[in-house]
Amino acid sequence: MKLTLKIKLLPNADQEKSLLKTIERFNSACNYISEQAFKEKRFNQVKLHHVVYYSVRERFLLPSQLVVRAISKVSDSYKLDKKTQREFKLRGSVTYDPRILAYKLNNVSISTLEKRETIPFVCHRSDWLPYVKGEADLIYKKGKFHILQTVEFPEDKVKDMDEFLGVDMGVVDIAVLSTGEKMSSKEINEYRIKRDKVRASLQSKGTKGAKKLLKRLAGRERNTATLINHTLSKRIVMQAKDQNKGVAVEDLTHIRKRTEKKVRRAQRGLRSRWSFYQLRSFIAYKCEMHGIPFVAVPPAYTSKTCSNCHHIGLRAGKSFSCQNCGFIADADVNASINIATWGRTIGRPEESNMVCFIAHHRSGSKPI
Ligand SMILES: [Zn+2]
């Protein structure tokens, strides 16, 4: 499985100049190569190399491997079509590969125009560094340098699981597990309420400064939400691993609808903006890293079905009750148990009990 690791470089003033010069030179070279490619109608990397390599080396004094990468970048850019000449931003990305970029303990060794620089870096997932593989992009944005590095994880053989941990995602509690655990920590709610207050007061001001601040806050919120989603997904996947279970989540298409109906207008913005899609994708890739089966189940009946006898029951607010068997439970927990059951059905199709599951619905006491 391939993922991208974002690494922040911490260059000193001289290194900053050196990186920026390299970025600009690289992209100037790309523009030159693109012009030649378009003129000569040579777009294939190997053919283009024969046409431009030496002239690029001479004109731009780039290290040879960066010339190779520039030719490759240009060649790639013509893959979609060859009708218009491609142009590159002077401060666009530079492609690196292991020959010109290497990671040491806390430093990267990176080729620039004059020499290889050793630059300290920080990243949130240093445990991914052993899996670095293939190309990377050096990018410059808002005065900061980042490397977007491809990492490739060996895929653990996905184990065959008998049981699934069901996860019901929703607005009141972000995630409710089929074990009965609710993941909506106080911090998250407090954080959501606080940020909404700040936003409301800024919005009511409506000044230019307030708008600017709002934009900045939005960026910070995204980061905090991402961090919380990382924490939640990790807790869920680790729990599944400990219990030797797969993970089943509900298909998410209905969440926004449910959000809009259930939550008061004033709170709507804040809660519906929670990124369930991100949480789900984090759960999915963490499962893959640990070789845990991950399934998404169709949401059709998850909240209205009795997890005990599979008849259609009654969902009233936070509680669920079944007239058929008398089962009473927290509505979200009931839903997540259903998700877990469906997960097992989908995850182990050869032992499918889906047919009887659906049959129960058809004969259920309440048509939907
Ligand atoms: Zn029942």
Side-chain angles (χ1 to χ4, degrees):
M1 178 189 30
K2 280 186 185 171
L3 292 168
T4 303
L5 177 60
K6 193 173 179 185
I7 292 162
K8 186 179 178 185
L9 296 182
L10 306 169
N12 62 33
D14 282 345
Q15 290 172 330
E16 247 184 81
K17 275 185 212 142
S18 166
L19 285 175
L20 212 50
K21 232 168 107 183
T22 308
I23 290 175
E24 289 174 355
R25 192 75 65 82
F26 179 88
N27 284 293
S28 306
C30 285
N31 281 325
Y32 169 79
I33 297 166
S34 174
E35 199 187 313
Q36 301 304 311
F38 197 70
K39 210 162 71 187
E40 306 277 333
K41 300 287 166 219
R42 295 279 170 89
F43 302 106
N44 170 282
Q45 192 182 339
V46 178
K47 287 180 183 157
L48 191 53
H49 186 101
H50 288 306
V51 178
V52 297
Y53 179 81
Y54 289 102
S55 63
V56 173
R57 281 279 274 166
E58 244 165 60
R59 274 169 188 252
F60 297 94
L61 302 172
L62 276 172
S64 110
Q65 194 59 21
L66 277 176
V67 177
V68 172
R69 298 273 55 107
I71 294 169
S72 157
K73 182 176 170 174
V74 173
S75 168
D76 279 351
S77 75
Y78 281 102
K79 276 194 176 139
L80 206 62
D81 72 77
K82 298 163 179 59
K83 286 179 215 142
T84 51
Q85 186 181 323
R86 300 291 189 268
E87 276 181 54
F88 298 89
K89 285 186 191 142
L90 202 57
R91 293 186 170 179
S93 65
V94 178
T95 326
Y96 278 87
D97 63 37
R99 291 201 208 177
I100 40 179
L101 174 75
Y103 297 89
K104 295 178 181 156
L105 208 54
N106 299 306
N107 299 307
V108 288
S109 158
I110 183 169
S111 286
T112 64
L113 291 178
E114 285 96 20
K115 58 172 177 159
R116 268 184 102 107
E117 297 276 4
T118 302
I119 302 175
F121 71 86
V122 282
C123 78
H124 290 302
R125 306 301 316 244
S126 47
D127 52 329
W128 287 11
L129 286 171
Y131 301 103
V132 158
K133 202 171 185 185
E135 291 183 3
D137 281 327
L138 170 66
I139 54 169
Y140 177 75
K141 211 175 159 190
K142 292 182 184 165
K144 294 189 175 84
F145 297 92
H146 284 97
I147 289 173
L148 301 179
Q149 172 66 55
T150 309
V151 285
E152 198 175 339
F153 297 96
E155 274 163 45
D156 271 359
K157 207 173 159 284
V158 174
K159 295 166 203 107
D160 204 10
M161 301 283 186
D162 286 330
E163 296 293 325
F164 276 75
L165 183 65
V167 184
D168 182 55
M169 298 183 197
V171 282
V172 182
D173 299 294
I174 290 185
V176 176
L177 308 187
S178 51
T179 52
E181 186 184 343
K182 295 186 169 190
M183 292 186 165
S184 178
S185 66
K186 236 171 82 190
E187 311 98 272
I188 297 176
N189 279 329
E190 277 166 7
Y191 166 72
R192 295 200 287 199
I193 289 161
K194 202 175 103 194
R195 79 177 185 189
D196 219 42
K197 269 189 193 153
V198 174
R199 182 184 289 109
S201 97
L202 283 173
Q203 268 163 350
S204 71
K205 273 186 193 153
T207 60
K208 231 179 174 178
K211 271 180 196 154
K212 229 169 139 182
L213 194 56
L214 267 170
K215 221 175 144 186
R216 221 168 57 217
L217 282 179
R220 201 178 306 160
E221 277 169 16
R222 266 197 303 279
N223 287 339
T224 311
T226 300
L227 217 64
I228 291 173
N229 276 341
H230 262 305
T231 311
L232 289 179
S233 56
K234 190 174 172 185
R235 267 167 60 193
I236 291 167
V237 173
M238 284 302 127
Q239 219 180 98
K241 195 177 182 182
D242 287 346
Q243 296 169 10
N244 223 7
K245 288 177 180 171
V247 177
V249 303
E250 200 174 25
D251 255 347
L252 292 174
T253 35
H254 74 299
I255 277 192
R256 203 158 290 269
K257 250 190 274 160
R258 208 158 77 184
T259 307
E260 265 145 40
K261 255 192 256 163
K262 200 152 63 174
V263 179
R264 274 189 299 127
R265 180 173 272 278
Q267 291 179 331
R268 188 178 296 168
L270 148 130
R271 303 210 162 177
S272 64
R273 267 198 309 275
W274 195 260
S275 180
F276 294 103
Y277 289 91
Q278 186 191 51
L279 178 58
R280 180 192 148 152
S281 76
F282 284 178
I283 294 174
Y285 92 71
K286 283 178 176 138
C287 278
E288 203 175 335
M289 282 174 71
H290 291 280
I292 294 170
F294 170 86
V295 293
V297 308
Y301 299 108
T302 49
S303 66
K304 289 171 183 160
T305 304
C306 170
S307 60
N308 189 44
C309 73
H310 304 331
H311 278 74
I312 300 298
L314 206 65
R315 183 177 179 147
K318 275 178 162 279
S319 99
F320 175 92
S321 57
C322 173
Q323 292 97 320
N324 185 54
C325 72
F327 181 73
I328 295 170
D330 176 285
D332 292 331
V333 174
N334 179 63
S336 63
I337 296 172
N338 284 327
I339 293 168
T341 309
W342 270 98
R344 194 168 58 216
T345 308
I346 296 168
R348 300 176 65 86
E350 71 278 12
E351 288 169 32
S352 175
N353 56 0
M354 198 186 297
V355 179
C356 85
F357 203 77
I358 289 166
H360 274 304
H361 282 296
R362 295 235 170 91
S363 64
S365 46
K366 267 200 170 184
I368 304 170

